Amino acid sequence: MKVYRLGVICVSIFMFFSCDSQEDKKGRFLLKGNGKIQENDLTGAISFYSEALKIDPTFAEAYYNRGIAHSQLAKSEMAISDFTNAISNKPEYLDAYFQRGWAHLDLGEKYKALEDAEAVIKLDQNGYRGYFLKGLVHESLKRYAEALNDFEEAILRQPNNPDLLVNKATILFYTGKLDEALEILENAEKINPEEANLYNLRSQIAFEKSDYEAALFWVEKALEKDPGQAYFYNNRGLYLLFAGQPEKGLEDINFSLRQNSKNLYALRNKGIYYVIKGEKDQAMVYLEDVYQKDPEIPLTKRFLEQAQKL
C-alpha cells in the first residue's frame, strides 16, 4: 500500500536585468538549465546550474533547480544538499523546504521530513502543501488519525484537488472506512476522471470486499490511464491469483518486481502464488522474508501459516 503523492515538480524561471555581466552570465546558465529540464535532459540541466553556481556560489535559485534535477534522477542525498544550500542563502525559500522534505521522505528520514513540513506551514499558513507533506509523513509512520487530519487541513485550503482527495480516501481505506473512501473517490473522479490512482484505490476497495471481478475492472481502468505504473501491475497480479488465474497473476507480479525488486507487497504476492501452487519451500522463502521485514503487511501472516501447513 502507499499513499499517493502529488507528482508536480515546479521549475521556476528567473530572469535578470542588470548591467553586471556576471549577473547576465549566471542568469543565462540558469535559463539554459531550465531549457534542458524541459527537454528532459537532466544531466545537461545540472551542468548548466553548476556553471551558474561557479559564478555565484550564493545563487539560491540555481541550487534549488539543481536539486529538482537531482530529485528527478532519484539522487535524494544530492538533492537535499542543494535544497539546504538554497535555504541557507534564502532562509524563507518555501519551495526548497517542501522539496527537501519530500527528498527526506524518499530516504526514509521521516522526522526530518516532518520538520520541513512544519517549516512550510509556518511560511505559508494558508497553503496546502505543508499539510500535504505532513500527512505523507504521518502516513509513513502509520499515524493514520494524524495523517487524516493533515489531509483534511490540506483539502480545506484546496478543496478541488483530486490528489488530496485520493490521499484522504487512502487513509480511510487503511482504517477500514471503505464506503467513506468510495464516496470521496467518486467526487475525485468528477473533478479529474483521468486520475489513475483513484481507480487503483477503487480496485483495492473491491478486493477488500472480495469482489475480484470489480477489482480487476478498476485496476484495468487505472492501467489505461497510466500503463507504466508497476504498482498497478502488482495489484492486478494479486487479484488474478484470487480470481483463479495464478499464471497470469505471476506475470504481472514479476513485471512489477523487475521495476522494483524490493517491493514487499510484490514479494508477498509471489509467496502467495507459491502457496496456491503448493510449493512450500518457495512460499516460505518469500513470506518469511516479508513477515520479518514488516509483519503488518496484510495477508502475509495468513499465507505464511498456510505455507507452513503444506
Side-chain angles (χ1 to χ4, degrees):
M1 302 287 187
K2 67 176 180 179
V3 171
Y4 301 105
R5 306 196 317 188
L6 302 178
V8 177
I9 299 292
C10 296
V11 179
S12 302
I13 295 177
F14 297 83
M15 297 192 69
F16 299 83
F17 301 93
S18 169
C19 295
D20 189 324
S21 63
Q22 295 295 84
E23 288 291 301
D24 290 339
K25 285 180 181 179
K26 75 177 187 181
R28 284 196 294 272
F29 279 126
L30 186 76
L31 291 174
K32 287 180 179 180
N34 293 345
K36 290 295 183 180
I37 288 281
Q38 297 302 317
E39 296 169 8
N40 202 33
D41 180 2
L42 300 173
T43 301
I46 288 169
S47 178
F48 280 121
Y49 296 140
S50 297
E51 289 299 318
L53 287 165
K54 288 178 184 178
I55 296 170
D56 182 2
T58 69
F59 194 4
E61 285 76 18
Y63 281 119
Y64 172 78
N65 284 9
R66 192 172 71 176
I68 292 292
H70 281 139
S71 291
Q72 292 276 34
L73 290 169
K75 296 180 178 179
S76 297
E77 291 180 351
M78 298 179 74
I80 288 168
S81 177
D82 279 336
F83 295 137
T84 299
N85 279 318
I87 292 165
S88 295
N89 290 287
K90 189 176 178 181
E92 296 190 354
Y93 205 153
L94 176 66
D95 290 343
Y97 276 109
F98 178 73
Q99 295 293 346
R100 188 176 70 174
W102 197 326
H104 277 309
L105 191 57
D106 281 339
L107 282 178
E109 297 172 342
K110 299 173 184 179
Y111 291 100
K112 289 182 180 179
L114 194 60
E115 289 177 5
D116 282 334
E118 295 289 2
V120 173
I121 291 169
K122 184 177 180 179
L123 289 168
D124 185 18
Q125 295 182 9
N126 294 322
Y128 76 93
R129 290 191 298 169
Y131 289 102
F132 163 68
L133 178 58
K134 194 175 177 182
L136 294 177
V137 177
H138 281 143
E139 182 278 329
S140 71
L141 292 167
K142 299 185 179 179
R143 298 176 182 173
Y144 296 136
E146 293 172 85
L148 184 61
N149 181 68
D150 295 329
F151 290 130
E152 286 174 345
E153 288 288 344
I155 290 166
L156 282 174
R157 289 158 176 78
Q158 196 167 98
N160 292 320
N161 187 318
D163 298 297
L164 296 177
L165 294 173
V166 173
N167 277 284
K168 179 180 177 180
T170 302
I171 299 299
L172 291 170
F173 169 71
Y174 285 156
T175 55
K177 298 177 181 178
L178 304 185
D179 291 334
E180 288 183 47
L182 278 174
E183 184 177 348
I184 290 173
L185 291 174
E186 288 168 359
N187 291 332
E189 186 176 357
K190 291 175 185 176
I191 297 168
N192 182 14
E194 298 304 309
E195 175 51 64
N197 290 322
L198 72 88
Y199 300 115
N200 181 61
L201 186 53
R202 291 199 71 161
S203 79
Q204 292 174 291
I205 292 170
F207 178 78
E208 192 69 19
K209 293 183 175 184
S210 300
D211 189 345
Y212 307 133
E213 183 177 347
L216 285 166
F217 171 82
W218 289 116
V219 79
E220 291 287 359
K221 195 159 187 178
L223 282 164
E224 286 175 13
K225 306 298 182 184
D226 188 358
Q229 179 54 259
Y231 185 66
F232 299 166
Y233 282 96
N234 183 50
N235 282 349
R236 188 174 69 175
L238 176 65
Y239 309 154
L240 287 167
L241 296 182
F242 278 75
Q245 302 179 63
E247 301 308 325
K248 289 183 67 176
L250 182 62
E251 290 179 15
D252 279 343
I253 295 162
N254 282 336
F255 176 83
S256 183
L257 283 169
R258 284 195 293 273
Q259 311 309 309
N260 179 5
S261 62
K262 296 180 180 180
N263 182 345
L264 292 181
Y265 287 88
L267 294 169
R268 175 206 63 184
N269 291 348
K270 195 156 185 177
I272 292 173
Y273 165 82
Y274 285 117
V275 171
I276 291 170
K277 300 298 290 185
E279 299 181 29
K280 179 177 180 176
D281 291 343
Q282 288 279 56
M284 293 292 291
V285 168
Y286 285 99
L287 294 170
E288 283 185 331
D289 180 53
V290 173
Y291 189 74
Q292 183 179 13
K293 290 175 179 174
D294 189 348
E296 296 184 24
I297 290 180
L299 300 176
T300 306
K301 183 179 180 181
R302 169 184 160 188
F303 279 91
L304 179 57
E305 290 173 350
Q306 290 187 29
Q308 290 166 342
K309 295 176 183 177
L310 290 174

